[in-house]
Amino acid sequence: MARLFVRLKLSLLRNGLRRGWQQVIATVFGALYALPIAVLAAVGFTALGRRDDLAELAPTVLLLALTVLTLGWLLVPLLAFGLDETLDPLRLRLLPLSRRQLVVGLAAASSVGIGPLATLLALTGVVVGFTPFGLGAAIVLAAVAAQFAVCIIGSRALATALSARLRSRRGRDVAAFSAAFLGIAVASLGQLPNLLFNVGDLDAEGGQLLRLAEQAAGVLRWLPSGWAASAIVEAAAGRLLPALLWLTGAVLLVGGLARWWLRALENTAVGSEAVGGGRLRDAPLFPRVVGFLPRNRTGAAAARELRYLWRIPQLRVQLLFVVLVAVGAAVAVAVGVGQRDPRLVLAAPLVTFFYGLGSLNSYGADRAAVWLLVVSGSGSQADLAGKNLAGVLVMVPIVTAMSVALAAATGGWSYVPVAMLAGLALLGISFGVGNLASVLAPMPMPESGTNLWATSGGAGCATLLVQLIAFTVQGLLLLPVVGGFAAALLLRPALLPLAALGVLVWGAGVWWVGLRAAANTGDARGPELVAALSRPTA
Amino acid sequence: MAVEAGGAAFRVRGLRKVYGSKVAVDSLDLAAPRGSFFGMVGPNGAGKTTTLRMVTGLLRPDAGSAEVEGIDVWLDPLEAKRRIGVLPEDVALFDRLTGRQLLTYSGLLRGMPATTVAQRTEELLDVLGLTEAEGTLVVDYSHGMRKKVALAVALLHAPRVLFLDEPFEAIDPVSARTLRAVLEQHRANGGTVIFSSHVMELVERLCDTVAVLHAGRLVALGRLDQVRGNGSLEDAFVSLVGADEVAGGEGLRWLGSSSG
């Protein structure tokens, strides 16, 4: 059974490559990225275990590294790559396979791939580096095998357990919020080293970091993710009995994860299909809060976009991300991280950057439904302008709130109007470029809500290239804004309102040029737009 | 069968579409009379969907021209599209909206005044039996309901010519009857219905004019009685495409036995 599943996985991978050269390039890049890192890790582990001068660091580093590895295996597939839908247990449930056969088969198939290969490479380094002579060797080998199993099985178990929840729309919403929250948490954890390095000088820092790492390791070795690593460390040091105990724990952990996976598979197999969301009151197209929108093409497009921003999980996550970034930054300043310069209020408009990224692919969420736009002959200008209007309606309150919050924290109230004008200007620039990019290189967003950070699937190389160029152009066009403000701030602060108005004119001009160009292109390229957005995203 | 110029609901001349090495539509010449219930039949891959997409502006032809009521679809798209209503096979809609919101949006998109849109939306939702689905997003609709709401979208702006691609595919009989009633009313008011299908019995029951397509070419065109002669449309079709011998039946001896 295991062999059969491995062959299935290999066939799927091979056929995936056959779908197009962009898949081949993606795989090659993935391999080129992951494998050298794995080799480096292997070399690092070998050195760690064999060199005497690193001996006291070895246990700590190994523990931390393997904990990160385990966590990565658990979380990254969920956050970054979604469920491996080619091995979706739901597709196999009609086959007369016992759950045990399924687990064995899927585990074998999950061990095939670039990720598992890279992990195995890195773990080989651990084996080479930490294997002592004698009985300890067997323990180390077993522990490494257990570590690999924990990664693979734990990852699949978690994914399967969540898959049922992720299939219902409510579950996806919860996942969307958690993912956004997790993203922010990770990003802010990344700030910790900065905070740490703010204290003391270089020598003290190094020692302080090491002490922190040792404390962390002391805690982490008790978590399940650290049991296999502890077994390796103890065996390498010659303490066989503790090593054996840790190893037993790790093996039991593997068994427990497998059992969890079995149960999750059973639940998935007999669980309900995705049940539709609850009934809403039948609201009119125009949300009441924006009832002032005109009832024409642009207004209707704006209303629809607003509804979509809330109802499509991927867009909602992006919106939440923007809000959380804004809130996080405001809180950080208020709490006193960094200096309290009133001019910080001018940083508020930068939050529009994240929304502007999404505008590079405005039709992504509409997917194949754009045929309705093409067949109605309404022209792309109204639709794009409507989307931009929706963006402005969403971002203006956010920028305003953020400016006010920062002003309250830093006392820079005089900068608030300037910040709002700058925000509008930045939006104008983002949308101007984004509109053109959206009609030149549209990419459909995947239907599945399991991978909420996926904003494109199966995009061709040319499409990605255009998006990259558009992104660069967006940045370049922002330079005059930054330059103008910097000049005004440094040379003659009284000129700041003038700079703001100038920047607003610049932003409006870029927006109008971009919109007209996009409208002409979009109208001429209707069928191509539909074709690009109807491409299957799996 | 000759259709006088200007009297055609739609006309294609030399229409051609090639995908790589496969010729989907091969220099097609076709015209449908106004006010008719026109059926395009053919097996899967005959080029029906491709032709319909080229006539409605969704697919760019490699050669040839397409006109709807005398207006060239590719030279004067705005005028042509005003007269066209389309119900494609894979009904991709803005499905994160409710039925009413979707109809309002499509109406406003076509530049119709808001009051007209509101009034027609209510009527269409009522006639098509979609009012119980109030508050449900289109993405949660059943297949039949999706087709009905898509038909409502296609009808909202009162088009002259309706293009439907496999409209009755996977539809329950109740929804199908509703669809048929609406199409009949459209025709009674002077409109034309063009629909493609591979289900011959359906075409026989509904259409008065038939075009038979095979491998991207027109094989027969005319009134239903003319095309099917004395037999059924299915027999006529099968003999036209030259697949007289029916395969299958020999072999497969294990089928239905319980020896696994």
Side-chain angles (χ1 to χ4, degrees):
Chain A
M1 187 52 57
R3 239 207 322 252
L4 191 64
F5 270 81
V6 169
R7 271 172 41 199
L8 174 65
K9 178 75 180 273
L10 285 174
S11 299
L12 286 170
L13 286 176
R14 218 187 4 249
N15 291 341
L17 288 179
R18 227 184 268 164
R19 271 179 63 189
W21 51 272
Q22 44 261 50
Q23 261 75 12
V24 178
I25 291 203
T27 314
V28 168
F29 273 143
L32 283 178
Y33 179 74
L35 293 180
I37 293 186
V39 170
L40 270 174
V43 167
F45 282 133
T46 315
L48 202 63
R50 290 294 167 205
R51 283 172 62 128
D52 290 323
D53 53 342
L54 294 172
E56 55 173 54
L57 277 176
T60 314
V61 174
L62 182 70
L63 195 67
L64 288 174
L66 289 183
T67 308
V68 168
L69 181 71
T70 313
L71 272 177
W73 265 96
L74 284 179
L75 294 177
V76 167
L78 287 181
L79 291 179
F81 305 117
L83 293 175
D84 187 355
E85 286 174 333
T86 53
L87 293 177
D88 192 346
L90 226 59
R91 301 201 187 175
L92 300 168
R93 71 177 160 174
L94 286 178
L95 296 172
L97 291 172
S98 75
R99 301 283 165 257
R100 190 160 301 194
Q101 283 173 312
L102 254 188
V103 163
V104 166
L106 288 174
S110 308
S111 315
V112 174
I114 297 186
L117 187 62
T119 310
L120 271 177
L121 269 178
L123 287 175
T124 315
V126 174
V127 169
V128 170
F130 285 82
T131 310
F133 296 108
L135 284 173
I139 298 186
V140 169
L141 278 171
V144 166
Q147 174 69 53
F148 186 65
V150 163
C151 288
I152 302 266
I153 298 186
S155 153
R156 289 325 230 105
L158 186 64
T160 311
L162 290 180
S163 73
R165 250 168 275 272
L166 286 175
R167 276 181 215 283
S168 82
R169 211 131 39 83
R170 190 149 301 188
R172 285 202 286 263
D173 287 353
V174 171
F177 197 77
S178 322
F181 208 72
L182 227 78
I184 305 288
V186 166
S188 36
L189 275 180
Q191 296 307 311
L192 273 179
N194 284 345
L195 293 174
L196 289 176
F197 283 131
N198 272 336
V199 193
D201 57 297
L202 220 51
D203 264 337
E205 265 164 24
Q208 202 176 38
L209 208 57
L210 186 60
R211 270 194 296 279
L212 234 120
E214 281 177 355
Q215 279 173 342
V219 170
L220 288 172
R221 72 205 297 252
W222 295 104
L223 292 177
S225 49
W227 292 350
S230 305
I232 299 174
V233 162
E234 300 289 337
R239 298 188 283 272
L240 290 183
L241 194 54
L244 211 56
L245 286 174
W246 286 117
L247 179 63
T248 318
V251 169
L252 285 177
L253 178 66
V254 172
L257 286 172
R259 195 102 62 86
W260 182 30
W261 192 9
L262 260 166
R263 251 223 308 220
L265 278 173
E266 278 166 13
N267 288 342
T268 333
V270 303
S272 55
E273 291 291 319
V275 178
R279 292 159 75 84
L280 321 154
R281 291 169 305 115
D282 200 356
L285 177 67
F286 290 80
R288 204 127 39 119
V289 70
V290 287
F292 56 83
L293 285 174
R295 269 34 174 192
N296 58 12
R297 289 186 173 114
T298 311
R304 181 184 70 73
E305 184 74 6
L306 284 173
R307 291 237 172 253
Y308 260 53
L309 280 175
W310 191 245
R311 288 189 190 157
I312 300 259
Q314 285 104 329
L315 294 182
R316 200 202 272 201
V317 163
Q318 286 174 1
L319 205 56
L320 282 174
F321 189 72
V322 170
V323 170
L324 283 171
V325 163
V327 167
V331 164
V333 167
V335 156
V337 177
Q339 299 171 294
R340 286 201 192 195
D341 192 328
R343 291 177 292 183
L344 264 179
V345 177
L346 290 175
L350 290 176
V351 83
T352 60
F353 170 72
F354 294 103
Y355 193 86
L357 277 181
S359 74
L360 283 174
N361 186 25
S362 310
Y363 288 112
D366 300 338
R367 288 187 291 263
V370 288
W371 74 266
L372 269 172
L373 299 174
V374 171
V375 109
S376 68
S378 68
S380 323
Q381 178 159 327
D383 196 64
L384 288 168
K387 286 185 197 282
N388 295 161
L389 181 59
V392 165
L393 287 172
V394 161
M395 288 308 293
V396 161
I398 294 180
V399 172
T400 311
M402 193 170 161
S403 313
V404 165
L406 283 174
T410 61
W413 292 100
S414 54
Y415 292 106
V416 170
V418 172
M420 287 172 60
L421 287 177
L424 275 177
L426 289 180
L427 278 178
I429 295 174
S430 301
F431 289 154
V433 178
N435 288 341
L436 193 55
S438 300
V439 293
L440 283 177
M443 301 186 286
M445 264 191 224
E447 283 271 2
S448 161
T450 54
N451 179 5
L452 293 148
W453 292 102
T455 47
S456 74
C461 216
T463 312
L464 288 173
L465 199 64
V466 174
Q467 290 273 328
L468 198 63
I469 294 178
F471 179 63
T472 318
V473 170
Q474 248 183 7
L476 287 175
L477 289 173
L478 285 175
L479 284 179
V481 176
V482 175
F485 274 113
L489 274 177
L490 292 173
L491 298 176
R492 188 105 46 106
L495 280 182
L496 212 54
L498 209 63
L501 282 172
V503 150
L504 192 64
V505 169
W506 170 243
V510 169
W511 176 70
W512 182 246
V513 168
L515 183 69
R516 293 295 306 150
N520 290 334
T521 316
D523 290 340
R525 286 193 76 211
E528 285 73 24
L529 216 67
V530 175
L533 288 162
S534 308
R535 230 182 274 142
T537 52
Chain B
M1 168 194 165
V3 179
E4 52 303 354
F10 87 93
R11 179 190 298 275
V12 298
R13 288 195 185 87
L15 204 63
R16 190 175 164 81
K17 184 68 183 174
V18 179
Y19 289 112
S21 56
K22 180 173 186 307
V23 181
V25 175
D26 194 359
S27 299
L28 194 64
D29 286 308
L30 183 57
R34 285 195 209 198
S36 67
F37 219 119
F38 188 84
M40 278 171 57
V41 300
N44 295 332
K48 313 186 291 294
T49 303
T50 313
T51 306
L52 284 182
R53 287 169 72 90
M54 286 195 279
V55 174
T56 50
L58 287 173
L59 186 64
R60 205 179 291 280
D62 292 331
S65 71
E67 286 171 4
V68 172
E69 298 207 331
I71 303 173
D72 192 306
V73 174
W74 294 97
L75 295 179
D76 192 0
L78 214 59
E79 267 310 307
K81 286 173 181 177
R82 213 166 276 165
R83 292 168 165 68
I84 299 177
V86 186
L87 180 56
E89 185 177 4
D90 49 348
V91 200
L93 297 168
F94 290 107
D95 51 22
R96 291 298 204 265
L97 302 173
T98 66
R100 181 174 278 113
Q101 289 168 351
L102 177 62
L103 282 172
T104 313
Y105 176 59
S106 335
L108 292 176
L109 196 67
R110 285 185 176 264
M112 292 164 62
T115 37
T116 316
V117 171
Q119 177 207 339
R120 288 192 192 175
T121 302
E122 289 310 318
E123 279 185 59
L124 280 167
L125 287 176
D126 186 36
V127 166
L128 289 169
L130 290 170
T131 33
E132 323 84 64
E134 272 197 75
T136 316
L137 296 183
V138 170
V139 68
D140 294 329
Y141 278 12
S142 69
H143 190 72
M145 286 163 69
R146 275 181 87 101
K147 287 264 180 169
K148 285 197 280 189
V149 85
L151 182 66
V153 167
L155 291 171
L156 190 66
H157 57 287
R160 302 269 311 150
V161 185
L162 264 183
F163 290 90
L164 313 163
D165 198 351
E166 307 275 6
F168 297 101
E169 184 91 353
I171 298 296
D172 65 274
V174 178
S175 306
R177 190 167 284 208
T178 317
L179 251 67
R180 266 177 35 209
V182 173
L183 293 177
E184 278 297 339
Q185 172 146 27
H186 169 80
R187 208 184 37 148
N189 292 346
T192 315
V193 177
I194 318 277
F195 89 87
S196 89
S197 182
H198 54 254
V199 182
M200 302 299 161
E201 295 90 6
L202 198 65
V203 174
E204 265 184 303
R205 232 171 341 143
L206 296 174
C207 300
D208 50 53
T209 320
V210 167
V212 181
L213 265 69
H214 180 56
R217 291 209 184 87
L218 185 66
V219 171
L221 170 64
R223 298 198 61 79
L224 182 64
D225 320 299
Q226 289 176 309
V227 172
R228 73 173 161 185
N230 289 328
S232 73
L233 187 60
E234 184 176 326
D235 295 332
F237 174 79
V238 165
S239 70
L240 278 169
V241 303
D244 279 347
E245 309 83 49
V246 174
E250 313 90 50
L252 299 180
R253 291 181 209 286
W254 45 264
L255 202 56
S257 73
S258 58
S259 54

